[in-house]
Amino acid sequence: MVTLFSEQERYKSLVEASPMPTALYIGVDMIIGAANQAMLDLWGKSASIIGLKLMEALPELEGQPFFQILSQVFQSGETYHTKESPADLEVNGVLQTFYFTFTYKPIRNDLGEVFAIINTAAHLTELVEAKKQIIETQQRLSFALLSAEIGTWDFDPINNKVNWDDKCRTLFGFGKEGEVKYEEVLSCIHPQDEKMVREAVSKAIHQVNDGQYDIKYRTINEEDRQIRWVHCKGKAYFNENDIAYRFAGIVQDITDEVKSRQREHQMLTLVNHNADHMTIADLDGRLIYMNEASRKMLGVALDADVSKFSAGDFYTPEELARVQNHVINEIDAVRGWTGHITLVNYQTRESIPCMVSYLLIKDLETGEIIGRGATARDLRPEIRVKADLQKLAAIIGSSEDFCNYCDIDGRTRYINPSGIALIGIDKDQLLNTNLFDYHSEASNHKIKKEILPVLFAEGKWSGELELIHQVTREIIPIHKQFYMIREEFTNMPVAIAAIARDLRPELNIRKILADKNAALQNAVEELEFLANSVPPVVWSSKPDGYLDYINKRWFDQTGKGDDETLGSRWAENVHPDDVPDAIKTWKASLETGNPYEIEFRCLDKYGTYRWYLVRAIPLKDAEGNIIKWYGTNTDIHHQKELEKQKDDFLGIASHELKTPVTSLKAYAQVLEAMFKRSGDFKNADLLARMNKQVDRLSSLISDLLDVTKMNSGRLQFNPTEFDFNEMVEEVIEDVQRTSFNHAIRADLGFRRNIIGDRDRICQVVTNLLTNAIKYSPGASEVVIYTHDLEDRVQVSVRDYGIGISPELKDHVFEQFYRVSGEKQHTFPGLGLGLYISSEIIKRLGGKIWVDSIEGKGSVFSFSIPLSD
């Protein structure tokens, strides 16, 4: 029975430790001997069912096969395992169907008899439901793809294989069976598109565009040489090594769509991009079509329905009568009609003189005339050119700008007097020069490659160029405007006119302003850099006291940005007790103009209030009016703490030295009185107490003496070789004798002799252990570790006490520093122990540090190098 009981206990422990839902059923009645929390959660039951029969604990299993299976496993001794099996369980009062993969494994005793069954399970309900949804989704997707005549493909880039459905094989000309290689696919692509497809596939499987693939190209069926257009879309999938292991997508036959679009595109491109106005109307004058140029010229929106308009909407009454009564009758069936017509903008009613050509449109089958087409060229640009030339002729002679005129080959025909003076050209040689003779090489290249094409196309150009002085060869920056002059009736370009402005005065002014702006910006940046570099918080305010600037030091200290500080929000960070005085003093300074100086506490980003000395002075104008306040916040928290520590030290030192001396005196008096009488054991006890007080006094005095020696450089060290581990164990034993509430647990990994001052190192270890005990009054354990770091030994002491806040950690090794806080009085001492320890370790060439979490404890560590 003992053995069976032990076996049960062991398996119960295994059940509790299992990461999977696990339960133990004991005996033929299937009593629940153990079930971990995962299994209880799966059943939707509490731990109260442990000890019940499985049938009683889970009555909802009645009528399901589980009890029968368990009985068979118990009788046969054979393990039962099933996958994704359904089970109806009552969870939260609701009977629900779940799916599990579970195992019933028999447990045998020493006699080989089955005495229990261990049940492990994996909850797969979400997986099974997901599989169902995936299957349904795949079915719907397959039907949708089939209806849309879309094929699917799946490319394995690693093995260079392509899996296609039947539709995909048909589009590429492959049979319904057989393996397809990637290169075989490329052989079915039109030669002009193969490179494009290769590049698109390469980009996708090398993670360009996030592995996306979207391309339209042509395929060629090898059997009938039929060309098809297809649209392929897909995505590449990558493993943890960023290698594409799958590249899948869809393909759709878009041949008819492409051909239709091509025909429409060709026709519409021809018509829409024609610079001339083009319209089609029926024989009654109702419009059927207007190209883009016509819509823009006649004021019809690009998305407007032109069937709502008639030809009469774009003529004056007089011109409409002329067209209807004369022009239409003169349209020749073959040659059409060409002449001048004045049209009208539908929106503005502006008159538009045009050169118009009419033609008759016939039905291709019957030859019947079914409408009229018209093309029109807007003559306003030509008219404006004439007007511009007339204006130019009037001002060109007296203009102070550079003005020139040349033929379309660039041969100079005229330069005005200002232009001649600007470039220093010989008037007698003027007609022998070319446009490119007095422009710089860079400008000539721009004129040939950029300006002339724009002039021929649009009639004008403006921008910056460079002239060259013909005598000094000085480069002269200019802003120049070119105009193309065309022949009135043929519209052929015949000349180029230009006006240029010397940019040197303007550039000089720009440079002066730029230099001044740069100097001002540099000054601002330097001042801001200076403000952000100094340790104090630097701020400024308006005359009304609202802050308008604060440097980055404020953010470093408080974690608050400008929007949480400027204006009057700075007061939100001041300690509530200090706010009234801070604001009262600030208002007084604002009213009187006297400097502002006060000490108050501000909340830092760690949630701690720190003391600051805040000063501000006013900047005044010549009349004595305040135009700005400039101030600083200097952190004096440390000084405040030092002052407090000094006061505390004096009180503590007086108390700590006074008590043992007083006790010593008292015990000495008692001893003297009792020695006058006959001797007994009480005298020995009193003498022991006196010695204890003397020892305490001696310890305090020793610390003070050590500090004195350290400050004067007279602290002596006596290095010897000793067993480091033995020394640590002795310290542990000594400290443990005086500590009844803490167990000192040791994990000593260093097992070598070292050379050093054994007593001083012993002093440091003792100090760390006693401090750990002192500052963990609520804990029951202190742990000391030693580590062998090859070239040095490291000692760490862990406590589970009050801990140290992050901003105070760096101060614990300072002279006379003691733990601060509400319970300060409960931790006596002069604050010299850690300071002495740190100085000893430093003089041994080592380092000492602390890792601490406030409220959770500290780990004090030191390491010292090993001497040869």
Side-chain angles (χ1 to χ4, degrees):
M1 290 297 294
V2 173
T3 302
L4 179 58
F5 180 79
S6 298
E7 285 290 301
Q8 291 180 9
E9 289 299 312
R10 185 166 66 88
Y11 281 107
K12 287 180 180 179
S13 298
L14 292 175
V15 168
E16 292 297 327
S18 173
M20 298 179 59
T22 307
L24 179 68
Y25 312 134
I26 301 171
V28 69
D29 292 330
M30 297 299 149
I31 295 173
I32 302 174
N36 63 6
Q37 190 59 47
M39 182 62 87
L40 293 172
D41 292 342
L42 184 147
W43 288 339
K45 309 294 182 184
S46 68
S48 63
I49 68 169
I50 296 176
L52 300 179
K53 293 181 181 181
L54 182 63
M55 185 176 296
E56 295 174 354
L58 302 172
E60 63 266 33
L61 295 181
E62 182 68 26
Q64 301 184 55
F66 303 102
F67 296 130
Q68 182 180 355
I69 295 171
L70 284 167
S71 179
Q72 291 174 354
V73 172
F74 193 90
Q75 293 174 7
S76 65
E78 296 180 357
T79 298
Y80 178 83
H81 179 75
T82 183
K83 296 182 178 180
E84 299 181 7
S85 177
D88 295 330
L89 295 174
E90 185 175 317
V91 178
N92 297 326
V94 180
L95 190 64
Q96 304 176 51
T97 300
F98 300 90
Y99 292 87
F100 307 94
T101 290
F102 65 89
T103 300
Y104 292 151
K105 182 176 179 62
I107 309 298
R108 300 178 185 274
N109 58 21
D110 294 339
L111 300 177
E113 300 170 339
V114 176
F115 73 91
I117 294 175
I118 192 165
N119 175 201
T120 58
H123 194 181
L124 303 178
T125 303
E126 293 183 358
L127 177 61
V128 173
E129 294 296 334
K131 285 183 177 180
K132 289 181 179 180
Q133 292 179 6
I134 290 172
I135 293 172
E136 293 173 0
T137 301
Q138 287 177 337
Q139 291 174 345
R140 289 196 298 269
L141 178 61
S142 297
F143 178 77
L145 292 174
L146 182 63
S147 301
E149 295 188 351
I150 295 175
T152 62
W153 48 270
D154 197 336
F155 173 36
D156 179 358
I158 297 177
N159 298 308
N160 201 31
K161 294 180 181 179
V162 184
N163 293 320
W164 277 350
D165 65 2
D166 292 343
K167 181 65 177 178
C168 206
R169 287 175 177 271
T170 300
L171 292 176
F172 283 81
F174 288 98
K176 294 187 176 181
E177 302 294 338
E179 184 180 288
V180 180
K181 297 287 187 181
Y182 177 53
E183 294 300 327
E184 294 175 340
V185 176
L186 293 175
S187 68
C188 300
I189 297 174
H190 194 285
Q192 295 179 4
D193 297 340
E194 181 180 344
K195 180 181 178 182
M196 174 181 65
V197 174
R198 284 183 183 272
E199 291 177 350
V201 172
S202 176
K203 287 181 179 179
I205 65 177
H206 288 92
Q207 294 207 46
V208 179
N209 298 326
D210 196 27
Q212 299 292 334
Y213 174 73
D214 190 342
I215 190 172
K216 297 176 182 178
Y217 58 88
R218 292 163 289 181
T219 65
I220 302 177
N221 191 310
E222 290 294 337
E223 296 181 1
D224 56 12
R225 305 304 296 172
Q226 180 181 354
I227 296 178
R228 287 190 178 93
W229 276 93
V230 296
H231 184 186
C232 282
K233 296 182 71 173
K235 179 175 174 59
Y237 301 88
F238 303 89
N239 59 24
E240 63 276 7
N241 297 320
D242 291 334
I243 297 175
Y245 65 87
R246 186 184 181 197
F247 182 36
I250 62 171
V251 59
Q252 185 176 18
D253 187 349
I254 58 170
T255 304
D256 293 341
E257 176 186 342
V258 170
K259 289 182 177 179
S260 175
R261 283 205 309 268
Q262 285 177 339
R263 288 191 294 269
E264 294 176 2
H265 180 72
Q266 290 166 355
M267 181 183 69
L268 290 176
T269 299
L270 177 63
V271 174
N272 268 326
H273 288 80
N274 195 309
D276 290 338
H277 153 106
M278 298 183 70
T279 59
I280 299 175
D282 62 18
L283 293 177
D284 295 325
R286 290 187 294 269
L287 286 174
I288 299 172
Y289 173 78
M290 295 178 73
N291 72 345
E292 185 174 325
S294 178
R295 289 172 180 264
K296 291 179 178 179
M297 183 177 73
L298 299 178
V300 177
L302 296 179
D303 57 352
D305 182 2
V306 298
S307 64
K308 305 294 184 180
F309 298 91
S310 68
D313 293 325
F314 306 104
Y315 294 102
T316 62
E318 297 78 13
E319 194 74 328
L320 178 61
R322 184 172 78 89
V323 170
Q324 290 176 337
N325 297 330
H326 301 285
V327 174
I328 290 177
N329 296 329
E330 296 174 4
I331 300 176
D332 185 270
V334 178
R335 295 188 300 273
W337 181 92
T338 298
H340 286 86
I341 297 289
T342 299
L343 299 175
V344 175
N345 184 285
Y346 182 76
Q347 297 291 338
T348 65
R349 308 311 296 173
E350 176 188 1
S351 295
I352 306 171
C354 296
M355 179 65 70
V356 178
S357 296
Y358 291 107
L359 55 89
L360 299 175
I361 300 175
K362 299 179 181 180
D363 188 296
L364 294 177
E365 295 181 0
T366 64
E368 179 185 359
I369 296 174
I370 57 175
R372 288 185 293 269
T375 62
R377 188 176 77 253
D378 188 350
L379 296 178
R380 286 176 299 178
E382 298 176 19
I383 296 172
R384 283 195 291 269
V385 167
K386 291 181 180 178
D388 289 342
L389 286 175
Q390 291 173 352
K391 294 176 183 177
L392 181 62
I395 64 174
I396 196 169
S398 58
S399 173
E400 294 182 359
D401 290 331
F402 174 97
C403 301
N404 71 307
Y405 176 92
C406 62
D407 62 23
I408 59 174
D409 295 321
R411 289 185 290 268
T412 304
R413 291 293 175 259
Y414 173 79
I415 297 180
N416 70 340
S418 296
I420 291 173
L422 181 64
I423 63 174
I425 196 169
D426 187 343
K427 290 187 292 184
D428 297 333
Q429 298 296 320
L430 189 64
L431 298 180
N432 297 325
T433 63
N434 190 285
L435 172 71
F436 304 108
D437 291 334
Y438 40 84
H439 286 87
S440 70
E441 183 177 349
S443 294
N444 288 336
H445 182 269
K446 190 172 185 178
I447 291 170
K448 294 174 183 177
K449 299 297 183 181
E450 177 184 335
I451 299 174
L452 288 178
V454 172
L455 278 175
F456 280 99
E458 301 179 11
K460 60 182 179 179
W461 179 92
S462 66
E464 293 187 2
L465 292 174
E466 296 173 336
L467 293 173
I468 297 180
H469 195 280
Q470 298 301 292
V471 178
T472 65
R473 309 308 295 174
E474 176 190 359
I475 298 294
I476 304 171
I478 59 169
H479 184 275
K480 193 165 188 175
Q481 293 177 299
F482 283 99
Y483 298 91
M484 178 64 73
I485 301 173
R486 297 178 178 273
E487 198 273 330
E488 182 178 1
F489 297 105
T490 64
N491 201 39
M492 295 296 293
V494 294
I496 299 172
I499 302 174
R501 183 178 79 254
D502 187 353
L503 292 179
R504 287 176 294 182
E506 181 179 330
L507 293 176
N508 288 335
I509 293 174
R510 288 184 193 174
K511 185 177 184 304
I512 292 171
L513 291 177
D515 290 343
K516 289 184 177 179
N517 289 336
L520 179 60
Q521 182 63 30
N522 288 338
V524 171
E525 291 175 355
E526 288 176 4
L527 289 174
E528 187 171 355
F529 175 79
L530 178 62
N532 288 324
S533 300
V534 296
V537 173
V538 177
W539 52 270
S540 66
S541 85
K542 299 176 182 178
D544 59 6
Y546 282 81
L547 267 65
D548 56 5
Y549 169 78
I550 196 161
N551 70 346
K552 292 182 180 178
R553 196 67 62 199
W554 173 262
F555 176 78
D556 296 339
Q557 293 177 359
T558 67
K560 292 189 176 182
D562 290 351
D563 57 337
E564 299 174 281
T565 306
L566 299 183
S568 61
R569 295 196 63 183
W570 60 272
E572 297 174 8
N573 252 50
V574 179
H575 193 287
D577 295 344
D578 301 338
V579 168
D581 285 343
I583 293 180
K584 179 181 178 181
T585 307
W586 181 228
K587 286 182 177 178
S589 293
L590 294 176
E591 292 172 359
T592 62
N594 294 328
Y596 178 65
E597 181 170 340
I598 191 172
E599 293 180 2
F600 56 68
R601 290 162 289 178
C602 275
L603 189 68
D604 67 13
K605 60 184 176 184
Y606 302 108
T608 303
Y609 283 101
R610 297 185 64 83
W611 280 98
Y612 289 89
L613 172 61
V614 183
R615 291 191 178 105
I617 58 174
L619 176 65
K620 301 179 180 180
D621 59 19
E623 288 74 30
N625 299 314
I626 297 175
I627 58 176
K628 200 82 166 178
W629 284 87
Y630 292 95
T632 60
N633 296 6
T634 303
D635 190 332
I636 59 169
H637 193 78
H638 188 49
Q639 292 91 313
K640 285 281 189 179
E641 289 293 320
L642 288 177
E643 291 175 8
K644 186 174 182 297
Q645 289 172 19
K646 179 193 68 176
D647 296 339
D648 291 345
F649 167 72
L650 294 175
I652 293 168
S654 299
H655 175 75
E656 295 293 341
L657 293 175
K658 181 179 175 182
T659 301
V661 171
T662 302
S663 297
L664 179 61
K665 182 177 180 180
Y667 291 135
Q669 290 172 347
V670 172
L671 182 61
E672 180 181 1
M674 294 189 69
F675 266 112
K676 291 178 181 179
R677 303 176 202 170
S678 58
D680 57 32
F681 291 105
K682 290 183 179 180
N683 292 331
D685 181 58
L686 292 174
L687 183 59
R689 294 183 185 182
M690 183 182 71
N691 289 335
K692 184 177 180 181
Q693 295 302 319
V694 171
D695 291 342
R696 183 179 178 191
L697 179 60
S698 297
S699 177
L700 293 172
I701 295 173
S702 294
D703 283 349
L704 290 172
L705 288 174
D706 282 344
V707 171
T708 302
K709 290 178 182 179
M710 287 175 182
N711 291 337
S712 62
R714 294 184 289 108
L715 188 66
Q716 298 296 318
F717 288 87
N718 301 306
T720 59
E721 183 175 352
F722 65 95
D723 186 323
F724 191 85
N725 189 62
E726 181 183 90
M727 178 273 295
V728 174
E729 289 176 340
E730 287 179 6
V731 174
I732 294 172
E733 183 178 354
D734 292 342
V735 176
Q736 186 68 78
R737 286 176 182 171
T738 62
S739 176
F740 305 104
N741 298 324
H742 293 76
I744 302 175
R745 183 163 57 86
D747 183 2
L748 308 180
F750 186 82
R751 301 287 181 181
R752 290 195 277 164
N753 287 1
I754 73 167
I755 297 175
D757 191 320
R758 190 182 194 277
D759 292 339
R760 291 299 182 185
I761 298 173
C762 178
Q763 181 180 354
V764 174
V765 176
T766 301
N767 185 274
L768 294 185
L769 279 174
T770 54
N771 267 13
I773 291 170
K774 180 195 297 185
Y775 291 106
S776 58
S780 61
E781 181 183 63
V782 169
V783 186
I784 181 169
Y785 308 87
T786 62
H787 304 281
D788 192 334
L789 303 179
E790 295 185 0
D791 62 339
R792 63 190 187 279
V793 58
Q794 179 175 316
V795 179
S796 299
V797 177
R798 174 185 292 276
D799 68 67
Y800 302 94
I802 63 173
I804 307 168
S805 61
E807 66 273 16
L808 299 180
K809 284 198 306 181
D810 294 337
H811 299 300
V812 296
F813 297 107
E814 295 176 1
Q815 185 175 336
F816 299 120
Y817 184 84
R818 298 176 65 250
V819 172
S820 60
E822 295 179 358
K823 298 183 179 180
Q824 173 180 352
H825 63 279
T826 65
F827 304 113
L830 297 179
L832 294 175
L834 288 177
Y835 169 71
I836 294 171
S837 298
S838 67
E839 290 299 316
I840 290 173
I841 295 303
K842 289 177 184 177
R843 283 164 170 76
L844 291 173
K847 63 177 182 177
I848 187 168
W849 67 94
V850 61
D851 297 305
S852 183
I853 299 177
E854 191 171 7
K856 295 187 177 181
S858 306
V859 179
F860 282 85
S861 304
F862 71 85
S863 67
I864 54 177
L866 301 179
S867 303
D868 295 335

